[in-house]
Amino acid sequence: MIRIIPPFLAPIVLSFLALIAVRDPAFAQAIPGDAMGGIGTQPMMAANARRTDSAWAQDPGQFFSAPYGDQHFFGSWLGLQPWLVRHGIHIAADEHEELAGNFRGGAKQGVTDAGQTGVEIDIDWNRLAGVKNFWTHTMIVNGHGQNLSTQYIHDSLGGVQQIYGARGNVVAHLVYMYAEQSLFHNRLDISAGWIPVGSFFAASPLFCNFMNVSICGNPAPGKYVPGGRDWPSGNLGVVMRVMPTVDTYIMASMFAVSPHSFNGGISGWAWAQSGLGHFSTPVEIGWLPEFGRHHLAGHYKAGYGYDNSQYNDLFEDIDGNSAVITGRPFRKQSGVSTAWFQADQMFVRNGKGPTNGLIGMAGYMYTSGKVSAMKQHVWAGMIETGAKWGRPLDTVGAMFHYFEMSRSSVLQQEASMLTGRPLLSNQWGQAWGIQTHEDVYELFYNIHAARGMSFQPDFQYINRPGGTTTYHDAAVMALQFNCIL
């Protein structure tokens, strides 16, 4: 017998072939006209249907809370779910697993699983206690598993599994807990509490269709600097969104910057950490148009964030020379800037719903290269729902990423190599060589297998793993499983 696939990939391939054959028409009735999301992704992808203006409903990436619709694997929970919703209590529990195998390239071949169990509770205090337009949102997760990219590929830049890292080795990690007040017919919205910065800024409900963590649920490099950390890390902060017109918004905020590796400690519950004396102030403007008689939705966003903390320069010492060579303290840089532009546009509509159609997307993000080892990230991709081939709740997508490392980081690593010193780690972890740039290509097919359940075969090709030529290009096959319970 000729072996055409590695043994550890056989379950993935067999599952893919079996699930492609599933064509139960009843599944198509679960969410009329829109693809399924779940709280296993980062952030939530369910649209907030309480919004009255059409532009709010078009952009669930910013408002990722309840209600969740009827996509629960166990249905109405014996009637409990409808009763809770009538009283303003929205609960969703989710199980998410990502099995990934590196069958070519990288440091060595292997397979790992990374997953999480999550619970979200959103309370509409108008229904519960008569407090109009006031909500609270809480998300708690338990993460587990191992990281294929760092353990087998030796790539810390474009992690192939979205559900890994920053959760701490704890039973219940707090992602967010904040209050939200809408005023003036939803023209003004204020959120305050423990909030992931990236779940509001440079966010998109489309990003977590893809497994690669460099885009889900917020693009790199902004989410790797302390002032912009994203899901599942939160920061104490306040966000204010104003809609001058029905299809435009202005969003501004202030967040306390944590100088620690884990915001809120490893559990996320330690809000009163030391050193919270500095702030980041992201701002964003957006245009959310609809074109033509088919209401082809678009989302166009630009933003800028500034963190007034001081950080070590990656290369220069206090005299402007190489700190690695001189051994003198690194020079302090005052402030870190992050900027982004992103756009997505539906070109063909397949049915009702804000994401049901052929959608193209692209974006760019920049971070100060003297402090951040990754200077810029460019991405472009597309997604399409499966209505044309009789699978309206399936989704297919492709994405390309280009990561460019900063000049200061390269100079630091060259100095280390020149003097025979080990390479220093950075925000992305260990470096395995001089890091210049990396490309990632991803292709997936998400299969709606049952009510509240999906399977997603996923292929990723990593060119220059870790941004170096130390290891050969890597090819990864994966299977993602998500079930909203």
Side-chain angles (χ1 to χ4, degrees):
M1 179 179 177
I2 299 176
R3 179 179 295 173
I4 59 173
I5 59 172
F8 64 82
L9 287 177
I12 297 176
V13 176
L14 290 175
S15 298
F16 182 27
L17 295 175
L19 288 166
I20 284 290
V22 176
R23 298 182 61 85
D24 186 346
F27 296 155
Q29 304 303 316
I31 303 181
D34 212 358
M36 181 183 67
I39 66 174
T41 56
Q42 311 177 112
M44 281 280 296
M45 292 175 59
N48 190 336
R50 70 182 184 277
R51 307 290 172 179
T52 57
D53 292 314
S54 62
W56 295 108
Q58 290 174 22
D59 199 14
Q62 292 178 42
F63 312 103
F64 46 87
S65 55
Y68 311 111
D70 59 1
Q71 276 294 287
H72 296 271
F73 184 74
F74 293 113
S76 67
W77 296 1
L78 299 177
L80 180 60
Q81 276 276 2
W83 185 89
L84 290 171
V85 170
R86 286 196 301 270
H87 289 80
I89 302 172
H90 301 257
I91 300 176
D94 181 275
E95 178 62 31
H96 190 95
E97 300 292 333
E98 294 178 342
L99 178 68
N102 171 35
F103 65 90
R104 179 182 181 275
K108 55 185 176 180
Q109 277 64 66
V111 61
T112 69
D113 175 72
Q116 97 181 354
T117 302
V119 176
E120 170 151 349
I121 302 174
D122 296 86
I123 300 178
D124 178 357
W125 290 93
N126 183 30
R127 290 193 176 189
L128 189 64
V131 183
K132 189 176 181 180
N133 295 326
F134 184 75
W135 285 64
T136 54
H137 312 285
T138 303
M139 162 73 73
I140 298 171
V141 299
N142 173 267
H144 57 269
Q146 295 180 311
N147 189 333
L148 181 78
S149 291
T150 57
Q151 293 192 20
Y152 290 96
I153 305 176
H154 285 182
D155 175 23
S156 56
L157 303 181
V160 299
Q161 292 153 304
Q162 62 177 244
I163 303 297
Y164 190 82
R167 288 158 178 78
N169 187 23
V170 296
V171 174
H173 178 88
L174 177 67
V175 177
Y176 53 76
M177 181 182 291
Y178 66 95
E180 178 187 6
Q181 177 73 62
S182 296
L183 301 168
F184 307 115
H185 303 287
N186 296 323
R187 296 290 183 172
L188 172 63
D189 193 276
I190 302 172
S191 297
W194 189 257
I195 301 173
V197 179
S199 291
F200 282 78
F201 293 90
S204 170
L206 303 174
F207 286 162
C208 281
N209 284 282
F210 300 91
M211 272 186 59
N212 196 283
V213 76
S214 66
I215 198 70
C216 175
N218 186 261
K223 65 181 177 182
Y224 289 94
V225 296
R229 287 175 180 162
D230 185 32
W231 212 106
S233 291
N235 288 56
L236 285 172
V238 58
V239 180
M240 182 174 68
R241 299 178 295 271
V242 178
M243 292 196 71
T245 67
V246 71
D247 59 357
T248 61
Y249 69 86
I250 302 170
M251 186 160 56
S253 66
M254 178 176 287
F255 290 94
V257 178
S258 171
H260 304 278
S261 299
F262 286 88
N263 292 18
I266 62 171
S267 69
W269 296 90
W271 293 9
Q273 286 181 296
S274 61
L276 295 178
H278 295 276
F279 299 92
S280 66
T281 52
V283 295
E284 183 176 278
I285 59 174
W287 178 42
L288 315 174
E290 290 184 347
F291 297 105
R293 61 188 180 90
H294 296 298
H295 302 284
L296 301 177
H299 304 87
Y300 300 84
K301 308 179 183 183
Y304 174 80
Y306 182 77
D307 173 4
N308 69 356
S309 307
Q310 286 193 334
Y311 298 99
N312 286 340
D313 188 286
L314 290 175
F315 175 67
E316 295 182 357
D317 66 11
I318 55 177
D319 298 316
N321 301 312
S322 169
V324 171
I325 293 177
T326 65
R328 293 176 61 78
F330 283 92
R331 170 179 290 179
K332 293 292 184 180
Q333 292 289 342
S334 297
V336 179
S337 294
T338 303
W340 62 91
F341 172 78
Q342 63 192 66
D344 63 74
Q345 179 62 55
M346 180 182 290
F347 296 105
V348 178
R349 177 168 290 283
N350 295 333
K352 296 181 180 180
T355 63
N356 194 352
L358 174 63
I359 301 174
M361 69 191 80
Y364 170 81
M365 178 170 277
Y366 160 88
T367 299
S368 303
K370 288 186 175 294
V371 172
S372 172
M374 184 187 293
K375 182 178 181 180
Q376 52 193 0
H377 173 195
V378 178
W379 66 91
M382 57 77 62
I383 64 168
E384 167 74 302
T385 51
K388 293 181 180 179
W389 52 92
R391 299 283 305 175
L393 297 181
D394 290 0
T395 307
V396 62
M399 180 70 83
F400 165 75
H401 302 272
Y402 172 77
F403 313 116
E404 182 178 302
M405 308 305 285
S406 73
R407 179 61 178 163
S408 295
S409 177
V410 171
L411 289 173
Q412 178 207 97
Q413 292 167 354
E414 288 177 342
S416 296
M417 298 280 279
L418 180 66
T419 57
R421 293 179 172 88
L423 297 176
L424 300 178
S425 60
N426 53 48
Q427 296 98 328
W428 282 263
Q430 184 174 355
W432 300 93
I434 296 176
Q435 298 174 300
T436 56
H437 67 275
E438 177 179 322
D439 303 320
V440 175
Y441 306 82
E442 181 174 357
L443 177 66
F444 75 84
Y445 188 93
N446 185 278
I447 302 158
H448 184 265
R451 180 179 58 194
M453 180 186 293
S454 69
F455 289 86
Q456 179 170 310
D458 190 283
F459 172 77
Q460 297 181 54
Y461 186 85
I462 300 95
N463 174 238
R464 298 174 58 89
T468 79
T469 57
T470 304
Y471 301 104
H472 294 296
D473 293 358
V476 173
M477 284 291 295
L479 181 65
Q480 181 186 84
F481 167 80
N482 193 82
C483 185
I484 302 177
L485 305 176

